[in-house]
Amino acid sequence: MNRFVLHHYPQSPFAEKGRLFLGFKGLAWDSVTIPRVMPKPDLTALTGGYRRTPVLQCGADIYCDSALIARRLEREKPDPALFPAGIDAVAATMAQFADQVLFQHAVALNFQPASLAARFADTPREAFQAFVDDRRALFSGGSAHPLELSTANSQWPTLLARLESQLAHDRGFLLGDRACIADIAHYHPLWFVANNSHIAPTLDPFPAVRSWMARIAAIGHGDPTPIDSAAALAIARDSSPEAIADNGFVDANGFRAGAAVAIAATDYGVESVTGTLVWHDTEEIVLRRDDLRAGTVHVHFPRMGFRLTAT
């Protein structure tokens, strides 16, 4: 059995979400630190062009998007549950809201000039400009559009007050006495804010939120071991994708296994990945592709938030 490899960088909020998933499951894993900005040649050799952070690797199987990473880890180790039985749909829907709406507000707060100045105070001007240019390109061409700062400032207290109210019932976590994906998904945008000195004080009027954040942070990141990207490529090249049994799934748009397809996120980071459709179900789409350095890999995408097209 191959170890999990997480491709990430320390400052990424979605990477923090992935690290907490691994800690929540109590897993040992290999850690590859990727560049914050493009190009990311070793990562895209594995994914076929997908550039967002994080990416989870297990041998020659590559999992894109943190929502799908959660489901892969749930399959690996069902307990403790990220998607608790009986409230799994509620937990997934709450997580999707956090990843979209709450995160959009956190981005607006973090990308205002004073927040950028605080975050990049010790960064050379050229590196700062490269980051800004990269993020501008990342959000080009998709359905996601920057939230106006005035709107984010107006609505941020509402979002936090709702969390405060939910957490005031002394159950410990958002959906009961155990953490789940809803908690970790709501945490990572707040972690993004808490790690910026200019906007961190916006969390202070909400003591229940602050206490809950401390409980989530205490989950930790499991047991990571640093490796380099060349080693991760070698792992993929020396492995074979996991066998997938036919499940009889019928796609409403007529896509069948064996079709030449392209898949891309619809919101941001919309670069397409091309390959052969090998498997899909209600949550997941898997493409086979061949790369000179990574070998034959299966690249896994969530169905939600992605568009599949014929090539």
Side-chain angles (χ1 to χ4, degrees), residues 72-231:
R72 175 61 183 89
L73 296 177
E74 191 85 334
R75 178 160 62 89
E76 184 73 16
K77 189 176 181 182
D79 187 52
L82 284 166
F83 302 90
I87 56 169
D88 50 329
V90 174
T93 302
M94 287 183 68
Q96 185 177 352
F97 172 86
D99 288 346
Q100 295 173 350
V101 177
L102 192 62
F103 180 68
Q104 184 184 40
H105 284 72
V107 167
L109 295 176
N110 267 280
F111 277 73
Q112 62 180 300
S115 295
L116 287 172
R119 185 171 295 278
F120 291 95
D122 299 322
T123 303
R125 178 67 188 179
E126 295 79 8
F128 168 71
Q129 191 59 52
F131 177 83
V132 171
D133 292 345
D134 179 83
R135 292 309 186 265
R136 186 177 294 118
L138 178 67
F139 282 89
S140 175
S143 61
H145 299 287
L147 187 66
E148 289 186 0
L149 179 59
S150 60
T151 301
N153 280 331
S154 176
Q155 296 179 164
W156 186 244
T158 304
L159 294 169
L160 290 175
R162 290 177 179 178
L163 283 177
E164 185 79 5
S165 176
Q166 182 78 4
L167 291 164
H169 296 289
D170 295 326
R171 296 185 301 171
F173 300 98
L174 290 176
L175 291 175
D177 58 3
R178 299 182 71 180
C180 68
I181 192 171
D183 294 276
I184 295 174
H186 277 79
Y187 172 83
H188 78 90
L190 303 189
W191 173 88
F192 194 29
V193 170
N195 281 279
N196 187 307
S197 61
H198 178 67
I199 51 176
T202 64
L203 300 170
D204 292 342
F206 305 96
V209 170
R210 278 292 198 180
S211 296
W212 163 82
M213 289 181 68
R215 291 192 291 277
I216 301 301
I219 291 171
H221 296 159
D223 183 17
T225 299
I227 66 170
D228 61 28
S229 58

Side-chain angles (χ1 to χ4, degrees), residues 244-250 279-282 284:
I244 309 176
D246 179 38
N247 60 357
F249 177 76
V250 177
W279 191 87
H280 51 172
D281 69 0
T282 58
E284 186 174 350

Side-chain angles (χ1 to χ4, degrees), residues 288-310:
R288 184 182 71 246
R289 50 178 311 278
D290 297 297
D291 183 88
L292 289 175
R293 294 193 297 150
T296 299
V297 293
H298 282 179
V299 190
H300 303 244
F301 296 89
R303 185 172 290 276
M304 290 294 292
F306 286 77
R307 178 185 297 112
L308 192 66
T309 57

